[in-house]
Amino acid sequence: MLPPYWVRRLFLVPLMLVISLFAVVTSPATLLIAAIAGFAGPGRKGRLFRITALVIGYLAAEGVALFVLAYLWVAAGFGRRVREPKHERRHYVCVRTFLRWIFWLVNHVLHVQVRVEGPIPEAYRDKPLIVFSRHAGPGDSFLLVHALMNWYDREPRIVLKDTLQWDPAIDIVLNRLPTRFIRSGAPGKATIDPAAGPDAETQIGELARRLDHDDALVLFPEGGNFTQRRRARAIARLRRRGLMAEAAKAEAMRYVLPPRPGGVLAVLENAPEADVVWVAHTGTDHLLTVADVWDALPVHIDLKMRWWQVPAGSVPQDREQRIAWLYEWWRQIDGWVTENRVAEGQREVV
């Protein structure tokens, strides 16, 4: 359960600053010990050193981000003007820099390479976007937002799970930017955080309104990371609700969860002027837990992304047509993942 706002600010932020400072100060000794233990011990060589370097690098970035966010809060009149465009842009610069550092760190420490297929960045220029993405593997939301900000020069508005607010820097910056946090709960019962309003679809729709030329509304229609167990539960839930046609379509898709139309329909209704971008990716599908990541290291991961762009004028207008259109695109995304998915055993150990 997520702690209240005041607990997160009074306890989690100072705790993270202490942890970050400790990690940076002790990093030479920690990395030396990790290198010796990793290369002298059993198992794959260098695994412990790499994961230690990644953790220290992230904690260092977290600490710097918290100090920058404190400065931005003071510069915005102690938070009074934080929603003004000038100060909002400064926060986007902070997020862009943080994500650029994390992307560089992951690339060089874990040897993750990303290949992108689809329209070039110029195809998206000067038009609002709605981005619907598959959700599978660790960090795919970070990668997507990094791509939108640093490759496509976008200011994203994001719908995310509220559990990400356990991270103090993410909690602070995204609560100052256009974001909606979905409260985790029983399948099919996720809601918007009560502080933002009681109706999830209404709040998501409001987030999509008045997108300008460099905005991108980001939504993960599956509502969670893909696993085969979640897929089976989602199909069973569709059957219990009497949605037999949707359940049959979901069963035909192997590597995606059935999409939840509510949020998608709310976004399309409130941003009719925006082009729709569909995003598929594969390469980290088998990395579902921390243990999976540990067992896989060190490897070279070739992560592939595919983007499709649909002009606003080509989006269906009728509700039922939009639901069918969503499932058809999800079927296409599943087909692309099936074709491009690399089995775990074929990954190159480095």
Side-chain angles (χ1 to χ4, degrees), residues 229-303:
R229 185 176 180 181
R230 284 179 177 171
R231 174 178 174 269
R233 289 203 307 260
I235 293 171
R237 186 166 62 249
L238 289 172
R239 287 204 184 96
R240 288 196 303 270
R241 295 172 57 192
L243 301 173
M244 298 305 176
E246 286 78 3
K249 292 177 182 178
E251 281 190 318
M253 297 184 288
R254 299 175 58 191
Y255 297 116
V256 294
L257 301 179
R260 301 181 179 184
V264 173
L265 294 173
V267 170
L268 295 176
E269 179 68 26
N270 286 276
E273 74 287 355
D275 285 5
V276 175
V277 176
W278 304 89
V279 180
H281 59 83
T282 186
T284 59
D285 309 63
H286 64 297
L287 304 176
L288 303 175
T289 66
V290 174
D292 291 335
V293 177
W294 174 257
D295 290 340
L297 290 174
V299 298
H300 177 93
I301 296 178
D302 184 14
L303 200 156

Side-chain angles (χ1 to χ4, degrees), residues 106-176:
V106 170
N107 273 356
H108 287 77
V109 174
L110 301 184
H111 300 297
V112 177
Q113 298 296 324
V114 181
R115 291 190 293 162
V116 180
E117 303 173 2
I120 60 175
E122 285 71 19
Y124 305 105
R125 194 175 303 279
D126 295 327
K127 59 182 69 177
L129 299 178
I130 298 169
V131 181
F132 297 131
S133 176
R134 181 193 186 218
H135 202 6
D140 64 345
S141 54
F142 281 85
L143 174 61
L144 178 62
V145 176
H146 165 71
L148 287 169
M149 299 190 76
N150 288 301
W151 301 345
Y152 297 98
D153 197 24
R154 289 282 155 171
E155 295 183 349
R157 305 182 185 186
I158 318 172
V159 181
L160 295 168
K161 284 191 173 181
D162 68 339
T163 50
L164 284 172
Q165 294 174 99
W166 276 100
D167 184 302
I170 293 175
D171 184 17
I172 292 173
V173 73
L174 291 188
N175 274 294
R176 296 180 187 176

Side-chain angles (χ1 to χ4, degrees), residues 76 79-89 91 172-180:
R80 291 192 304 272
R81 301 189 303 275
V82 74
R83 299 287 182 179
E84 293 180 1
K86 177 178 70 173
H87 297 288
E88 188 174 275
R89 282 193 297 272
H91 282 80
I172 292 173
V173 73
L174 291 188
N175 274 294
R176 296 180 187 176
L177 293 172
T179 307
R180 291 296 183 274

Side-chain angles (χ1 to χ4, degrees), residues 47 51 53 70 90 125 185 192 194-195 237-238 249 259 270 310 314:
R47 176 166 56 180
I51 202 70
R90 290 178 176 178
R125 194 175 303 279
I192 287 289
R237 186 166 62 249
L238 289 172
K249 292 177 182 178
N270 286 276
V310 179
S314 299

